[in-house]
Amino acid sequence: MLLPQVTMQELPWKMKKSFSRSTLRGQKGFSEIDLKLEMVSQEALRRTIFPLGGLTKDFVKKIAAENRLHHVLQKKESMGICFVGKRNFENFILQYLQPRPGKFISVEDNKVLGTHQGWFLYTLGQRAKIGGLKEPWYVVEKDGAQGDVFVAPRTDHPALYRELLRTSRVHWVAEEPPATLVRDKMMECHFRFRHQMALVPCVLTLNQDGTVWVTAVTAVRALALGQFAVFYKGDECLGSGKILRLGPSAHTLQKSKSKAAAECPGDSPSLSPAH
């Protein structure tokens, strides 16, 4: 099979990993690659080669078409939890976990809107299936202890947006934190926590235990505990940390400001990352 000639300059993944111990963001169409590499050790990265690293997914499909590899072209993209397939997600999960009935509660007035079979069946930001309601409601928070799922009436509701999070101890691809972050204890960069989402400008604040506070320049929708925040500087993937703590939502901040304004006119609360 004939393959296109690729120069070393067209292989930024391979060159960067082999010689500077870091990783680059993937080409358009391969942006999921760096979300898999940010936890890989240097020992493994130094011995890793990416033969398709400089190619886009569309170009690889073109190669497949020219070589009559129709089964490659016809293969559907893998979305969501690929091993679940076409099965109903809720039914699939309930085969392995016991139902834990709970309530859907409005985040605006604490009104009970319906019931569900388990808070673990829902992801922040997704539409909640609430019987009897015509208007869409979206999951904004989950209470695992009580089993309740809090919902809001719009996909862009302020309860879905947050600017602040704290991660676990960060795994740095280059083994050590960036020099700027070590020196200044703060650094501007970008991050993402979902595959293919746009990079978000942020400021990292380094804590003594190796964890970081991440302050987004603009509020981010549907941050969730347990996801990984992956950090970038330019085209370089720096590393990642598991999201362990979330700051207050824009909805909570709005309520706090309204309450403070009513109690103490002229004063406004301020929030900042605490070590």
Side-chain angles (χ1 to χ4, degrees), residues 116-153:
H116 58 79
Q117 292 300 303
W119 60 269
F120 47 79
L121 297 170
Y122 298 91
T123 301
L124 268 63
Q126 81 170 85
R127 182 172 176 175
K129 298 178 180 179
I130 306 176
L133 298 182
K134 294 182 179 180
E135 297 298 323
W137 287 72
Y138 297 87
V139 177
V140 299
E141 195 171 340
K142 300 187 292 184
D143 185 344
Q146 298 297 323
D148 295 328
V149 175
F150 291 88
V151 293

Side-chain angles (χ1 to χ4, degrees), residues 28-43:
K28 182 179 179 182
F30 277 99
S31 59
E32 69 270 25
I33 295 177
D34 48 292
L35 285 173
K36 304 295 188 297
L37 293 175
E38 27 75 35
M39 292 297 291
V40 178
S41 69
Q42 274 297 318
E43 183 179 359

Side-chain angles (χ1 to χ4, degrees), residues 17 21-23 36-48 171-175:
K17 291 184 184 67
R21 306 189 312 160
S22 60
T23 64
K36 304 295 188 297
L37 293 175
E38 27 75 35
M39 292 297 291
V40 178
S41 69
Q42 274 297 318
E43 183 179 359
L45 282 177
R46 290 191 184 99
R47 293 169 172 79
T48 303
H171 170 84
W172 300 106
V173 175
E175 298 181 337

